[in-house]
Amino acid sequence: MNHGLYIHIPFCARKCPYCGFYSVTDRTCLDAYLKSLLTEIKSLEGNSFDTVYTGGGAPSLLGAELPVLLEKIVSLTGFCGAEFTVEVNPESVTKELMSDLSGLPVSRISVGAQSADDSVLRLLERIHTSERIFAAYDIIRSNTGCDINLDLMYDIPSVDAQTVKRSVKKFIALGPEHISAYSYSPDTGYLTDKASDDSYQTEMVTGILEDAGYMRYEVSNFSIPGHESIHNMKYWRMQPYYGVGAGAHSMVVREGRRVRYSHLPDIETYIADPLEKADVEMYDCKTAALESVVFGLRCVEGVDLLEITEKFGAITNELTDKINVLAGEGLLKCAGNRIKASKKGFLLLDSVMSYLW
Ligand code: SF4
C-alpha cells in the first residue's frame, strides 16, 4: 500500500504571532535535527511513498542544505511517486535554491504568501513584502517546472473585503495552479476580534476563484482542474501517511485497524529519540467510520457511505440520524450512497463536523 510522507522542518526566521504550527527560531541544533529526521525515515524502510510533503516551519530557510536533505530522502525512500511538495517562504526563495530543487523529483512548490497587501503582511508580522512574493513567484516559475500553490488568508480582523479581493485578484493574475484560501484563526490569541464580514469574505473569495477557473475541491483548496494536491487529499480521504519530525502526526493501518500517533512538539526530545511515539491511538471500526465521514465532508466530492460501510461495518443509527437532521436543514446533500456538504453546509462546516462528532 502506498503512503504519504510528511516531513516537518520546524525552523522559522521569526515566529509569526498568529501561527499555531510548531516551530522555533533557534537553529543551533539544526544538524542534529536533520540527522534524527534521516534516522526516522530510514526506520520506514519497506514502505512505499507516492507523495512527499516537506513543510514547516520554513523548509526554504535551510538554503543549500535543503536540496542535500531532500536528495537523501529520495534515496532512502526510493521515491518515484506522483507528487513531491516543498513549502517555501517568499523571503528565502533564491534562483540557486530553485535550480537545485529542479534537479530533484520536486513537483510542487507551496508559497506561504498570505496576502498581496503590505499593510496586511505587516499586521501579520510577516517578514516578506508583496514585492518579494511576486519576485519569488517569478524565480520559481522560471527555474522549475513545478506547480505553484499560493497560500492566501482572509477573515483577518480589521482587514476589509476590498483589500482581500485585491489580493485574490493579484494572486490569480500570477497564474498559479493552486490557491489555498484559509480563514484566519485566532487560536494563538493574536488578533482576536471577530472579522466584521466573515461569511461574506468566504463567499467572495470562493466566487472570485471559481470565476477565474479555480475549482474548489476541498473547503480551503482551489486548483486548476487536474492540479489538486494528491498528498493533502490523503488527509481528508483517510489514506495512510507517516509524519516525521518534531510535532508531526501519522495515520497508518495496522492489522486492519487505523492507528494514529505523533511526535511531541519538542526538538530536543525528538533529537534524543526520533523513534519515540506519543499519543498512540488505535481506532475501533465505529470511530474509524465516523472519522471517515467527518473528515471526508471537507472535500467537495463528499463521502460514499456504502464504501465506508464495506470497510468498517454498518454506520451507527446515531450517525445516520444526525446525517438526516443535517440533510433536513439543508446542510448536507444526499444522492444515492453519497453525502456532501451543501453550499450552506460548507459555510458552517465546523459546526456540521462537530455536530456529527
Ligand atoms: S513562517 Fe510560517 S510556520 Fe513560521 S511562524 Fe510564520 S506562519 Fe508559522
Side-chain angles (χ1 to χ4, degrees), residues 11-23 56-58 87 89 91 114 126:
F11 300 98
C12 296
R14 188 169 77 194
K15 192 74 196 163
C16 309
Y18 65 87
C19 174
F21 292 111
Y22 173 63
S23 67
E87 279 183 0
N89 273 353
E91 69 275 7
Q114 313 308 346
R126 297 297 304 224

PDB file of all heavy atoms in Angstrom, residues 11-23 56-58 87 89 91 114 126, ligand 1:
ATOM      1  N   PHE A  11      11.745  25.121  11.653  1.00  0.00           N
ATOM      2  CA  PHE A  11      12.582  26.307  11.869  1.00  0.00           C
ATOM      3  C   PHE A  11      12.021  27.478  11.072  1.00  0.00           C
ATOM      4  O   PHE A  11      11.655  27.320   9.907  1.00  0.00           O
ATOM      5  CB  PHE A  11      14.028  26.028  11.438  1.00  0.00           C
ATOM      6  CG  PHE A  11      14.648  24.891  12.209  1.00  0.00           C
ATOM      7  CD1 PHE A  11      14.687  23.609  11.668  1.00  0.00           C
ATOM      8  CD2 PHE A  11      15.171  25.089  13.482  1.00  0.00           C
ATOM      9  CE1 PHE A  11      15.232  22.548  12.380  1.00  0.00           C
ATOM     10  CE2 PHE A  11      15.712  24.036  14.207  1.00  0.00           C
ATOM     11  CZ  PHE A  11      15.749  22.762  13.659  1.00  0.00           C
ATOM     12  N   CYS A  12      11.965  28.639  11.721  1.00  0.00           N
ATOM     13  CA  CYS A  12      11.486  29.859  11.061  1.00  0.00           C
ATOM     14  C   CYS A  12      12.462  30.985  11.363  1.00  0.00           C
ATOM     15  O   CYS A  12      13.108  30.998  12.411  1.00  0.00           O
ATOM     16  CB  CYS A  12      10.104  30.266  11.591  1.00  0.00           C
ATOM     17  SG  CYS A  12       8.842  29.057  11.216  1.00  0.00           S
ATOM     18  N   ALA A  13      12.538  31.944  10.449  1.00  0.00           N
ATOM     19  CA  ALA A  13      13.416  33.099  10.674  1.00  0.00           C
ATOM     20  C   ALA A  13      12.875  33.935  11.836  1.00  0.00           C
ATOM     21  O   ALA A  13      13.626  34.491  12.630  1.00  0.00           O
ATOM     22  CB  ALA A  13      13.489  33.940   9.410  1.00  0.00           C
ATOM     23  N   ARG A  14      11.546  34.009  11.908  1.00  0.00           N
ATOM     24  CA  ARG A  14      10.892  34.751  13.000  1.00  0.00           C
ATOM     25  C   ARG A  14       9.544  34.090  13.232  1.00  0.00           C
ATOM     26  O   ARG A  14       8.931  33.592  12.303  1.00  0.00           O
ATOM     27  CB  ARG A  14      10.702  36.209  12.576  1.00  0.00           C
ATOM     28  CG  ARG A  14      10.219  37.098  13.683  1.00  0.00           C
ATOM     29  CD  ARG A  14      10.315  38.548  13.287  1.00  0.00           C
ATOM     30  NE  ARG A  14       9.235  38.937  12.376  1.00  0.00           N
ATOM     31  CZ  ARG A  14       9.234  40.074  11.671  1.00  0.00           C
ATOM     32  NH1 ARG A  14      10.259  40.903  11.739  1.00  0.00           N
ATOM     33  NH2 ARG A  14       8.226  40.368  10.891  1.00  0.00           N
ATOM     34  N   LYS A  15       9.094  34.092  14.476  1.00  0.00           N
ATOM     35  CA  LYS A  15       7.803  33.449  14.768  1.00  0.00           C
ATOM     36  C   LYS A  15       6.672  34.449  14.499  1.00  0.00           C
ATOM     37  O   LYS A  15       6.641  35.538  15.079  1.00  0.00           O
ATOM     38  CB  LYS A  15       7.803  32.998  16.232  1.00  0.00           C
ATOM     39  CG  LYS A  15       6.667  32.085  16.605  1.00  0.00           C
ATOM     40  CD  LYS A  15       6.825  30.670  16.068  1.00  0.00           C
ATOM     41  CE  LYS A  15       5.489  29.947  16.136  1.00  0.00           C
ATOM     42  NZ  LYS A  15       5.417  28.754  15.323  1.00  0.00           N
ATOM     43  N   CYS A  16       5.756  34.104  13.617  1.00  0.00           N
ATOM     44  CA  CYS A  16       4.603  34.975  13.347  1.00  0.00           C
ATOM     45  C   CYS A  16       3.602  34.787  14.489  1.00  0.00           C
ATOM     46  O   CYS A  16       3.302  33.640  14.855  1.00  0.00           O
ATOM     47  CB  CYS A  16       3.955  34.607  12.024  1.00  0.00           C
ATOM     48  SG  CYS A  16       5.122  34.517  10.657  1.00  0.00           S
ATOM     49  N   PRO A  17       3.071  35.862  15.048  1.00  0.00           N
ATOM     50  CA  PRO A  17       2.279  35.749  16.272  1.00  0.00           C
ATOM     51  C   PRO A  17       0.973  34.969  16.143  1.00  0.00           C
ATOM     52  O   PRO A  17       0.439  34.483  17.124  1.00  0.00           O
ATOM     53  CB  PRO A  17       1.999  37.206  16.652  1.00  0.00           C
ATOM     54  CG  PRO A  17       2.191  37.981  15.399  1.00  0.00           C
ATOM     55  CD  PRO A  17       3.227  37.255  14.597  1.00  0.00           C
ATOM     56  N   TYR A  18       0.459  34.811  14.924  1.00  0.00           N
ATOM     57  CA  TYR A  18      -0.828  34.122  14.745  1.00  0.00           C
ATOM     58  C   TYR A  18      -0.640  32.627  14.490  1.00  0.00           C
ATOM     59  O   TYR A  18      -1.609  31.875  14.386  1.00  0.00           O
ATOM     60  CB  TYR A  18      -1.589  34.731  13.550  1.00  0.00           C
ATOM     61  CG  TYR A  18      -0.887  34.503  12.235  1.00  0.00           C
ATOM     62  CD1 TYR A  18      -1.100  33.354  11.488  1.00  0.00           C
ATOM     63  CD2 TYR A  18       0.035  35.434  11.747  1.00  0.00           C
ATOM     64  CE1 TYR A  18      -0.444  33.128  10.300  1.00  0.00           C
ATOM     65  CE2 TYR A  18       0.704  35.223  10.561  1.00  0.00           C
ATOM     66  CZ  TYR A  18       0.461  34.067   9.845  1.00  0.00           C
ATOM     67  OH  TYR A  18       1.131  33.843   8.671  1.00  0.00           O
ATOM     68  N   CYS A  19       0.622  32.184  14.362  1.00  0.00           N
ATOM     69  CA  CYS A  19       0.871  30.834  13.846  1.00  0.00           C
ATOM     70  C   CYS A  19       0.842  29.779  14.945  1.00  0.00           C
ATOM     71  O   CYS A  19       1.538  29.898  15.953  1.00  0.00           O
ATOM     72  CB  CYS A  19       2.209  30.809  13.132  1.00  0.00           C
ATOM     73  SG  CYS A  19       2.687  29.147  12.620  1.00  0.00           S
ATOM     74  N   GLY A  20       0.052  28.734  14.729  1.00  0.00           N
ATOM     75  CA  GLY A  20      -0.064  27.665  15.715  1.00  0.00           C
ATOM     76  C   GLY A  20       0.792  26.445  15.387  1.00  0.00           C
ATOM     77  O   GLY A  20       0.785  25.469  16.131  1.00  0.00           O
ATOM     78  N   PHE A  21       1.535  26.492  14.275  1.00  0.00           N
ATOM     79  CA  PHE A  21       2.386  25.333  13.943  1.00  0.00           C
ATOM     80  C   PHE A  21       3.608  25.311  14.845  1.00  0.00           C
ATOM     81  O   PHE A  21       4.128  26.369  15.224  1.00  0.00           O
ATOM     82  CB  PHE A  21       2.845  25.383  12.474  1.00  0.00           C
ATOM     83  CG  PHE A  21       1.725  25.175  11.509  1.00  0.00           C
ATOM     84  CD1 PHE A  21       1.296  26.213  10.703  1.00  0.00           C
ATOM     85  CD2 PHE A  21       1.090  23.946  11.416  1.00  0.00           C
ATOM     86  CE1 PHE A  21       0.244  26.030   9.817  1.00  0.00           C
ATOM     87  CE2 PHE A  21       0.040  23.751  10.533  1.00  0.00           C
ATOM     88  CZ  PHE A  21      -0.383  24.801   9.738  1.00  0.00           C
ATOM     89  N   TYR A  22       4.089  24.105  15.125  1.00  0.00           N
ATOM     90  CA  TYR A  22       5.268  24.021  15.987  1.00  0.00           C
ATOM     91  C   TYR A  22       6.514  24.434  15.196  1.00  0.00           C
ATOM     92  O   TYR A  22       6.868  23.810  14.186  1.00  0.00           O
ATOM     93  CB  TYR A  22       5.449  22.598  16.535  1.00  0.00           C
ATOM     94  CG  TYR A  22       6.756  22.477  17.284  1.00  0.00           C
ATOM     95  CD1 TYR A  22       6.985  23.238  18.428  1.00  0.00           C
ATOM     96  CD2 TYR A  22       7.773  21.655  16.818  1.00  0.00           C
ATOM     97  CE1 TYR A  22       8.204  23.175  19.095  1.00  0.00           C
ATOM     98  CE2 TYR A  22       8.982  21.583  17.488  1.00  0.00           C
ATOM     99  CZ  TYR A  22       9.187  22.350  18.622  1.00  0.00           C
ATOM    100  OH  TYR A  22      10.384  22.308  19.275  1.00  0.00           O
ATOM    101  N   SER A  23       7.190  25.476  15.656  1.00  0.00           N
ATOM    102  CA  SER A  23       8.456  25.885  15.044  1.00  0.00           C
ATOM    103  C   SER A  23       9.230  26.737  16.037  1.00  0.00           C
ATOM    104  O   SER A  23       8.663  27.287  16.986  1.00  0.00           O
ATOM    105  CB  SER A  23       8.218  26.657  13.743  1.00  0.00           C
ATOM    106  OG  SER A  23       7.588  27.887  14.014  1.00  0.00           O
ATOM    107  N   GLY A  56       6.593  23.073   7.255  1.00  0.00           N
ATOM    108  CA  GLY A  56       7.236  23.618   8.461  1.00  0.00           C
ATOM    109  C   GLY A  56       6.297  24.473   9.271  1.00  0.00           C
ATOM    110  O   GLY A  56       5.076  24.322   9.182  1.00  0.00           O
ATOM    111  N   GLY A  57       6.953  25.400   9.981  1.00  0.00           N
ATOM    112  CA  GLY A  57       8.267  25.953   9.739  1.00  0.00           C
ATOM    113  C   GLY A  57       8.450  26.486   8.313  1.00  0.00           C
ATOM    114  O   GLY A  57       7.501  26.718   7.598  1.00  0.00           O
ATOM    115  N   ALA A  58       9.684  26.665   7.980  1.00  0.00           N
ATOM    116  CA  ALA A  58      10.022  27.212   6.672  1.00  0.00           C
ATOM    117  C   ALA A  58      11.194  26.412   6.092  1.00  0.00           C
ATOM    118  O   ALA A  58      12.347  26.783   6.279  1.00  0.00           O
ATOM    119  CB  ALA A  58      10.376  28.690   6.801  1.00  0.00           C
ATOM    120  N   GLU A  87       7.411  23.376   0.857  1.00  0.00           N
ATOM    121  CA  GLU A  87       6.912  24.692   1.269  1.00  0.00           C
ATOM    122  C   GLU A  87       8.067  25.687   1.290  1.00  0.00           C
ATOM    123  O   GLU A  87       9.168  25.350   1.753  1.00  0.00           O
ATOM    124  CB  GLU A  87       6.335  24.619   2.686  1.00  0.00           C
ATOM    125  CG  GLU A  87       4.923  24.083   2.734  1.00  0.00           C
ATOM    126  CD  GLU A  87       4.341  24.101   4.155  1.00  0.00           C
ATOM    127  OE1 GLU A  87       5.039  24.528   5.104  1.00  0.00           O
ATOM    128  OE2 GLU A  87       3.204  23.682   4.302  1.00  0.00           O
ATOM    129  N   ASN A  89       9.032  30.077   1.956  1.00  0.00           N
ATOM    130  CA  ASN A  89       8.591  31.421   2.283  1.00  0.00           C
ATOM    131  C   ASN A  89       9.195  32.385   1.275  1.00  0.00           C
ATOM    132  O   ASN A  89      10.342  32.173   0.840  1.00  0.00           O
ATOM    133  CB  ASN A  89       9.031  31.796   3.707  1.00  0.00           C
ATOM    134  CG  ASN A  89       8.009  31.335   4.726  1.00  0.00           C
ATOM    135  OD1 ASN A  89       6.934  30.859   4.368  1.00  0.00           O
ATOM    136  ND2 ASN A  89       8.336  31.469   5.988  1.00  0.00           N
ATOM    137  N   GLU A  91      10.653  35.164   1.271  1.00  0.00           N
ATOM    138  CA  GLU A  91      11.941  35.826   1.518  1.00  0.00           C
ATOM    139  C   GLU A  91      13.135  34.893   1.348  1.00  0.00           C
ATOM    140  O   GLU A  91      14.266  35.358   1.204  1.00  0.00           O
ATOM    141  CB  GLU A  91      11.960  36.482   2.906  1.00  0.00           C
ATOM    142  CG  GLU A  91      11.978  35.537   4.097  1.00  0.00           C
ATOM    143  CD  GLU A  91      10.603  35.045   4.541  1.00  0.00           C
ATOM    144  OE1 GLU A  91       9.605  35.333   3.843  1.00  0.00           O
ATOM    145  OE2 GLU A  91      10.532  34.387   5.598  1.00  0.00           O
ATOM    146  N   GLN A 114       0.186  34.515   1.771  1.00  0.00           N
ATOM    147  CA  GLN A 114      -0.874  35.038   2.669  1.00  0.00           C
ATOM    148  C   GLN A 114      -1.632  36.248   2.148  1.00  0.00           C
ATOM    149  O   GLN A 114      -2.842  36.304   2.222  1.00  0.00           O
ATOM    150  CB  GLN A 114      -0.350  35.342   4.084  1.00  0.00           C
ATOM    151  CG  GLN A 114       0.512  34.257   4.707  1.00  0.00           C
ATOM    152  CD  GLN A 114      -0.099  32.866   4.698  1.00  0.00           C
ATOM    153  OE1 GLN A 114      -1.291  32.729   4.460  1.00  0.00           O
ATOM    154  NE2 GLN A 114       0.704  31.838   4.920  1.00  0.00           N
ATOM    155  N   ARG A 126       4.604  39.364   9.111  1.00  0.00           N
ATOM    156  CA  ARG A 126       5.407  38.557   8.201  1.00  0.00           C
ATOM    157  C   ARG A 126       6.652  39.340   7.809  1.00  0.00           C
ATOM    158  O   ARG A 126       6.635  40.573   7.781  1.00  0.00           O
ATOM    159  CB  ARG A 126       4.597  38.232   6.937  1.00  0.00           C
ATOM    160  CG  ARG A 126       3.368  37.398   7.198  1.00  0.00           C
ATOM    161  CD  ARG A 126       3.685  36.042   7.752  1.00  0.00           C
ATOM    162  NE  ARG A 126       4.585  35.286   6.911  1.00  0.00           N
ATOM    163  CZ  ARG A 126       4.425  33.998   6.611  1.00  0.00           C
ATOM    164  NH1 ARG A 126       3.385  33.321   7.078  1.00  0.00           N
ATOM    165  NH2 ARG A 126       5.302  33.368   5.864  1.00  0.00           N
TER     166      ARG A 126
HETATM  167  S1  SF4 B   1       6.873  31.456   8.858  1.00  0.00           S
HETATM  168 FE1  SF4 B   1       5.092  30.085   8.654  1.00  0.00          FE
HETATM  169  S2  SF4 B   1       5.461  28.385  10.050  1.00  0.00           S
HETATM  170 FE2  SF4 B   1       6.910  30.040  10.607  1.00  0.00          FE
HETATM  171  S3  SF4 B   1       5.862  31.138  12.251  1.00  0.00           S
HETATM  172 FE3  SF4 B   1       5.356  32.183  10.320  1.00  0.00          FE
HETATM  173  S4  SF4 B   1       3.424  31.240   9.638  1.00  0.00           S
HETATM  174 FE4  SF4 B   1       4.320  29.891  11.200  1.00  0.00          FE
END
